[in-house]
Amino acid sequence: DVKVTQSSRYLVKRTGEKVFLECVQDMDHENMFWYRQDPGLGLRLIYFSYDVKMKEKGDIPEGYSVSREKKERFSLILESASTNQTSMYLCASSSLVGRSNDGQFFGPGTRLTVL
Amino acid sequence: SQKIEQNSEALNIQEGKTATLTCNYTNYSPAYLQWYRQDPGRGPVFLLLIRENEKEKRKERLKVTFDTTLKQSLFHITASQPADSATYLCALYYLSGNTPLVFGKGTRLSVIA
């Protein structure tokens, strides 16, 4: 069964801390994505990656960075956590466009609270 | 920029009826459109994908239509059950550039027994 795993389901951090959210997929997908989801705002794309060591900014990259050193792993980094980064963070992966009739596969999410 | 509207935030229907959810978009048509299901506190789950040259796609009790003239997709769940209660998201993909999926905000469906 295909799987996207995220390092934590729940995380509580303090303002100013550096936060690492890890995502691993076992489907050999080229594409990986990080979203945040907030009530009334829907899914918003933070960063995505089409290949190892490649990254592209999404709609709301400010305050975040990413790392993709290996194909299966995509990390989201909050350089200095702030309270407005309290949110549900979702990682997803997908195969290259046109290669399949599948969509994106999402992880279970990490609910991050910044105090 | 592209705008996606899902007909309503919430939809209540009686068990056994057909639920119909709407996804409208502006500007140019996507290469394909996807539908996802999301349960509270969980990540979305991919359901169906329909390409711009396809009018209709079915999977068990699910049916999706795609009308590029109306700039609209309809998502139907026939013989709905309380277990179908969830939020349903539509997402659009455009071939131009490295643009990823654009998601709608979703419609929360409640199937009442």
Side-chain angles (χ1 to χ4, degrees):
Chain A
D1 202 14
V2 296
K3 218 173 205 181
V4 177
T5 56
Q6 294 184 228
S7 47
S8 309
R9 286 289 278 132
Y10 299 94
L11 208 52
V12 179
K13 294 292 182 181
R14 298 227 171 257
T15 303
E17 279 192 79
K18 192 168 186 175
V19 181
F20 293 87
L21 302 181
E22 305 282 340
C23 175
V24 178
Q25 50 98 0
D26 65 1
M27 296 163 279
D28 201 34
H29 282 164
E30 292 81 5
N31 304 329
M32 295 190 76
F33 308 85
W34 273 106
Y35 297 89
R36 65 178 281 178
Q37 189 172 34
D38 302 285
L41 297 177
L43 275 170
R44 293 184 290 168
L45 182 65
I46 305 171
Y47 269 97
F48 58 104
S49 168
Y50 287 112
D51 202 351
V52 175
K53 296 196 186 294
M54 291 184 67
K55 60 184 179 185
E56 300 278 350
K57 291 180 179 178
D59 300 318
I60 51 164
E62 297 78 20
Y64 303 95
S65 62
V66 290
S67 171
R68 194 163 179 203
E69 295 296 317
K70 293 184 178 182
K71 189 176 185 181
E72 66 272 16
R73 190 180 295 269
F74 193 35
S75 303
L76 179 70
I77 303 144
L78 285 65
E79 298 291 343
S80 177
S82 63
T83 54
N84 63 11
Q85 291 179 310
T86 292
S87 186
M88 169 70 99
Y89 288 87
L90 288 158
C91 175
S93 72
S94 71
S95 58
L96 280 177
V97 172
R99 290 250 181 112
S100 77
N101 282 318
D102 284 334
Q104 290 187 5
F105 290 86
F106 282 82
T110 295
R111 187 162 294 283
L112 173 67
T113 301
V114 182
L115 302 174
Chain B
S1 63
Q2 190 60 256
K3 196 175 171 186
I4 304 173
E5 283 184 6
Q6 295 194 238
N7 56 330
S8 54
E9 269 193 43
L11 181 67
N12 297 328
I13 67 160
Q14 208 68 34
E15 182 178 8
K17 302 288 186 186
T18 295
T20 298
L21 283 64
T22 306
C23 178
N24 294 298
Y25 59 91
T26 58
N27 301 333
Y28 46 96
S29 287
Y32 59 74
L33 192 148
Q34 302 178 357
W35 284 89
Y36 290 78
R37 170 188 171 133
Q38 187 174 23
D39 293 289
R42 295 183 177 274
V45 174
F46 169 72
L47 296 174
L48 279 167
L49 178 155
I50 185 165
R51 299 180 190 276
E52 61 178 331
N53 59 351
E54 297 174 318
K55 297 287 184 194
E56 183 179 297
K57 208 86 171 275
R58 290 176 186 260
K59 181 181 174 182
E60 297 170 357
R61 295 185 295 111
L62 308 180
K63 183 177 90 170
V64 172
T65 62
F66 192 5
D67 188 327
T68 56
T69 304
L70 293 178
K71 297 188 177 181
Q72 181 181 82
S73 174
L74 298 179
F75 178 80
H76 307 273
I77 306 175
T78 57
S80 58
Q81 306 163 2
D84 295 325
S85 299
T87 296
Y88 292 86
L89 309 170
C90 74
L92 278 56
Y93 178 79
Y94 296 87
L95 279 175
S96 56
N98 277 335
T99 312
L101 281 180
V102 180
F103 280 87
K105 290 183 180 179
T107 296
R108 189 172 65 253
L109 174 69
S110 297
V111 181
I112 302 156

